[in-house]
Amino acid sequence: MSLTPRSLVLFVGTLVLAACSPSSAPPQQHNAPAAAPVVDAAQTKALTMYRQMLDAQQWELAAPIGKEIVEKYPGSAAATEVQKSLADASAKADAASSKRRLTALWIYQASKESGADQVTASIYSSDRNANDRVRLILRRHAKWGQSAYLFGSGKGFVCKGVCALEAMFDDTPAKLAAFLPDTGEPAIFIKDDKAFIAKLAAAQKLTIKVSEKGKDPRTLTFEVGGYDGDKFPSLASIKK
C-alpha cells in the first residue's frame, strides 16, 4: 500500500504520540514506604531510651530525649506516651541542674592553721566584677573555735564596736550583730555564728548590706542553696 505525503505525515505523528503516552513512561519509584521502617525504628529506640532514663531517674538525660520525641514525631503513640511524664521530668531536670550549679559554688577544705586542725566552708558573693567579690567563710578551728565571717579586699569593712548588718535569708529579714577582728584583716565576723549557720543551711539565698572603707555601701548576694553541712564537719568527727 502506498502512502501519500499527507498520509505519511499523519502516520508518523501517530507513532510520536504513542511513544509519549503515559503507558510508555518508565515505572515510577515509590520510596516513601521504604523509609517508614527507618522512622519507626528510630522512634522506638528513642522511646526505649526515654523509658530507661526515667526508670534510672536520670532527669537531665530523659528530658531532652522526651522533647525530641514530641517535636519529631507529633501525634504518634510515642509522643502521646512521653507527654504524660515530660513536664515532670523537665522540672526535675531543671532542679537537678540548679542544685549542681549551687553545690559547685561552695569550697570545702581541711588543713592545719597555726599548728591546729581547721575545716572551712566558703562561698563568694555573686558580683560580676571578680575584684569586688567578698568571700563568706565558715570556719572550725581546734584552738579558735567556730567562726562565720566575711573576707573582702582593700581596706576592709566599716564597723564600730558591735554593729548591726541588715540581712535577708531568702525573704526573711534579719539583723546580724558583727565586729571587726583585732588582727586588722579585711574581715568582719558574725557574732552569733551558730544561729547564722543554722539559718544559712535552710536558705537558698543570703543578702547582707555592708559598708567598706573607701567604697559606697552595697548589698552582697550569696547563693547558698548548695551548702552541704556534712562537708563542714565538727573537728571531733574528722578521722585522723
Side-chain angles (χ1 to χ4, degrees):
M1 179 181 66
S2 62
L3 297 173
T4 64
R6 176 179 173 80
S7 299
L8 182 60
V9 170
L10 291 173
F11 180 73
V12 172
T14 301
L15 292 176
V16 171
L17 289 174
C20 296
S21 66
S23 60
S24 62
Q28 295 182 358
Q29 296 181 354
H30 300 285
N31 295 324
V38 176
V39 173
D40 290 343
Q43 184 180 146
T44 300
K45 182 178 180 181
L47 181 59
T48 299
M49 290 180 61
Y50 178 73
R51 290 169 176 167
Q52 290 173 344
M53 294 303 101
L54 285 186
D55 291 341
Q57 298 186 0
Q58 296 290 330
W59 315 116
E60 290 177 275
L61 296 176
I65 296 173
K67 290 176 182 177
E68 184 178 6
I69 291 173
V70 171
E71 291 173 0
K72 289 184 68 173
Y73 313 111
S76 66
T80 300
E81 178 183 331
V82 167
Q83 286 174 322
K84 295 177 181 178
S85 57
L86 183 56
D88 180 63
S90 297
K92 289 177 178 176
D94 291 342
S97 177
S98 177
K99 182 66 175 179
R100 187 175 62 255
R101 182 185 70 82
L102 293 174
T103 298
L105 296 178
W106 283 91
I107 300 170
Y108 303 90
Q109 293 179 315
S111 61
K112 290 279 188 181
E113 179 64 31
S114 299
D117 291 330
Q118 173 179 275
V119 292
T120 60
S122 63
I123 184 173
Y124 281 97
S125 60
S126 301
D127 302 273
R128 293 183 180 180
N129 186 343
N131 294 325
D132 286 337
R133 294 192 302 170
V134 171
R135 192 157 47 128
L136 168 61
I137 301 174
L138 311 179
R139 181 182 67 191
R140 287 176 177 147
H141 190 275
K143 291 182 179 178
W144 306 330
Q146 179 174 274
S147 304
Y149 59 98
L150 301 175
F151 193 91
S153 59
K155 299 179 180 180
F157 298 89
V158 175
C159 178
K160 293 182 180 180
V162 176
C163 56
L165 304 180
E166 294 183 18
M168 292 277 287
F169 292 91
D170 293 330
D171 298 324
T172 304
K175 292 280 189 179
L176 304 177
F179 61 94
L180 301 180
D182 296 331
T183 47
E185 292 96 346
I188 185 167
F189 281 70
I190 308 301
K191 193 170 180 64
D192 191 351
D193 51 85
K194 183 177 180 180
F196 175 80
I197 293 173
K199 291 179 180 178
L200 178 150
Q204 291 296 308
K205 184 173 73 172
L206 165 67
T207 61
I208 305 176
K209 288 185 178 181
V210 296
S211 294
E212 297 162 281
K213 296 176 182 177
K215 297 181 180 181
D216 293 330
R218 61 176 172 145
T219 299
L220 304 173
T221 299
F222 299 92
E223 296 184 85
V224 297
Y227 171 71
D228 185 348
D230 290 338
K231 293 181 180 179
F232 180 56
S234 62
L235 293 174
S237 66
I238 298 176
K239 294 181 179 181
K240 303 298 183 182

